Amino acid sequence: MKRLTIRLALLIVCALSINTAFAQDANTKEVVKKQTKKKVVPCKWHKANNFSEGLAKVENAKDKWGFINKSGKVVIPYKWESAGDFNEGLAYVEDADEKYGFIDKAGKLVIPCTWNDIEDFCEGLAAVEDDNKKRGFIDKLGILVIPCTWENADEFSEGLAAVEDDNGKYGYIDKTGKLVIPCTWKDTRYFSEGLAAVKDANGKWGFIDKSGNVVIPCKWEYAYVFSEGLAAVEDDNGKFGFIDMSGQIAIPCEWSYAWRFKEGLVAVRDRSLMHGFIDKTGKLVVPCTWRDFDEFSEGLAKVQDANGKWGFINKTGQVVIPCMWDDAKRISEGLACVQDANGKYVYIDKTGQVVM
């Protein structure tokens, strides 16, 4: 009787164990099933751009542009031939007559489409081009506050804007339209950190201050804007390095190309035409293994691998979003716009998860 009781007990335990095992297996299969069935959002926009001030411009299959919010909802209808990103609360749009104006975030046309060409608002003013192909500036009411008398005009930066006169020479105006730095330069860049790169009659680049004084002599083959205290320059041997704001070489000219510092790092190109990133001491912190790149934004930089696919790396060079996209925009407001193999766009977060 005792043996029978023990056998019955063992049978019960085995049965319970088998049931438990089946239950665990069923649960595991259910988890796998759920993971397999995890919703993948199909790429749906014909063209798209990054978010700016909470909205992103997108293009539908009919080649019309509108804007979505971060839920993916179309909040400004598809009706424009082209559109810019929102900047200072407004975005430029192009109508069916190929004229440009500005809309607000409600989609209201607040500055009529009357201009041949237009730029984003910067420091309260936007460059516009009239029917005579001359450029001036409007304010946010659409009032022409600086007459269209210039061959070309850049956006305002640090209170000044570069302009080109009828002789093809460049100088700078202030926000009243007054020419404060004469048009004597062959080419110019915008002011950044108090200085602007300028190109002289001999084709050499240097830097001026806001009074127009040359503070770094024009001796470089190329110069870019100052960013985080350093500016890329090209020497007579076609090599790129960086100078500080006194004009002293801070990072030797040894790269085949260099860009601007962003978040403490800058992209450089080596002799094999591959790209990596250096820090402000000139140390190569991300090896030159990438075919193409973009500057760091919100801690990540997009990079293109040898197969032409785009992904994202962090500041140690670690790939945090795999190179699987045909195109990618930089991270903006926590999201990046990416393109799949079918040519359609979606948005991913900083973990690489498709969110809309």
Side-chain angles (χ1 to χ4, degrees):
M1 183 68 180
K2 188 175 181 181
R3 287 182 180 177
L4 181 59
T5 303
I6 291 171
R7 284 178 181 174
L8 286 171
L10 287 172
L11 286 171
I12 292 168
V13 170
C14 287
L16 288 172
S17 298
I18 290 168
N19 285 337
T20 302
F22 275 123
Q24 288 175 342
D25 185 57
N27 287 337
T28 301
K29 286 181 178 178
E30 185 62 27
V31 170
V32 172
K33 189 177 181 182
K34 284 180 180 178
Q35 288 177 341
T36 304
K37 284 188 172 183
K38 187 176 182 180
K39 185 179 179 181
V40 176
V41 182
C43 292
K44 56 184 177 180
W45 286 291
H46 186 59
K47 290 180 183 177
N49 206 30
N50 275 346
F51 277 89
S52 178
E53 299 185 3
L55 299 178
K57 65 178 184 179
V58 291
E59 185 186 53
N60 66 10
K62 296 181 180 180
D63 299 329
K64 299 294 184 181
W65 288 86
F67 289 81
I68 59 172
N69 63 18
K70 289 187 177 179
S71 298
K73 180 182 178 181
V74 177
V75 292
I76 297 177
Y78 300 108
K79 60 180 288 187
W80 303 104
E81 300 300 312
S82 68
D85 297 323
F86 273 94
N87 201 39
E88 298 186 5
L90 300 177
Y92 72 75
V93 289
E94 179 189 8
D95 68 11
D97 297 321
E98 299 183 353
K99 295 290 187 179
Y100 293 85
F102 283 91
I103 59 172
D104 63 17
K105 290 185 178 181
K108 180 182 177 182
L109 187 64
V110 293
I111 297 176
C113 294
T114 58
W115 301 102
N116 274 2
D117 200 4
I118 212 161
E119 303 292 342
D120 290 329
F121 271 95
C122 284
E123 300 183 4
L125 298 177
V128 292
E129 182 182 275
D130 67 11
D131 291 336
N132 298 316
K133 306 294 184 184
K134 296 289 188 178
R135 292 198 166 222
F137 290 84
I138 60 172
D139 64 16
K140 290 186 177 181
L141 297 176
I143 299 170
L144 187 66
V145 293
I146 298 176
C148 293
T149 59
W150 303 102
E151 291 297 309
N152 201 0
D154 292 338
E155 298 169 343
F156 272 92
S157 177
E158 300 185 1
L160 299 177
V163 290
E164 180 188 6
D165 68 11
D166 294 335
N167 299 314
K169 298 293 184 180
Y170 290 83
Y172 293 84
I173 60 173
D174 64 18
K175 290 185 179 180
T176 69
K178 180 183 178 182
L179 186 66
V180 293
I181 298 176
C183 293
T184 59
W185 301 103
K186 196 171 180 179
D187 200 357
T188 56
R189 306 203 190 285
Y190 60 87
F191 272 92
S192 178
E193 301 181 7
L195 300 180
V198 291
K199 186 177 184 181
D200 69 10
N202 298 316
K204 299 290 187 179
W205 287 86
F207 289 82
I208 60 172
D209 62 19
K210 291 184 179 181
S211 297
N213 300 313
V214 177
V215 294
I216 298 176
C218 294
K219 66 175 187 176
W220 302 101
E221 294 298 309
Y222 171 93
Y224 198 38
V225 298
F226 271 95
S227 179
E228 301 182 8
L230 298 174
V233 291
E234 179 188 10
D235 67 13
D236 293 335
N237 298 314
K239 297 295 183 181
F240 286 76
F242 290 83
I243 59 172
D244 61 23
M245 299 189 75
S246 69
Q248 297 299 307
I249 295 175
I251 298 174
C253 295
E254 59 183 6
W255 301 100
S256 65
Y257 205 83
W259 283 261
R260 67 173 180 174
F261 273 91
K262 195 76 180 292
E263 298 185 6
L265 298 178
V266 65
V268 291
R269 181 193 296 157
D270 67 12
R271 65 181 65 184
S272 66
L273 304 183
M274 299 300 281
H275 303 88
F277 289 84
I278 61 173
D279 63 18
K280 289 185 179 180
T281 69
K283 179 183 177 182
L284 187 65
V285 294
V286 178
C288 293
T289 57
W290 301 104
R291 188 167 151 186
D292 205 352
F293 72 98
D294 196 358
E295 61 191 16
F296 274 91
S297 175
E298 299 181 19
L300 300 180
K302 72 172 189 177
V303 289
Q304 185 186 47
D305 68 12
N307 298 315
K309 297 294 186 179
W310 290 89
F312 290 82
I313 60 171
N314 62 20
K315 290 184 179 181
T316 66
Q318 179 186 5
V319 177
V320 294
I321 298 176
C323 294
M324 58 181 284
W325 303 102
D326 278 17
D327 188 21
K329 313 291 185 183
R330 72 181 61 168
I331 298 284
S332 176
E333 299 183 11
L335 301 174
C337 180
V338 293
Q339 181 189 40
D340 70 5
N342 296 316
K344 296 298 179 68
Y345 287 84
V346 288
Y347 290 86
I348 59 173
D349 63 20
K350 292 171 82 171
T351 70
Q353 179 70 41
V354 175
V355 295
M356 65 176 129

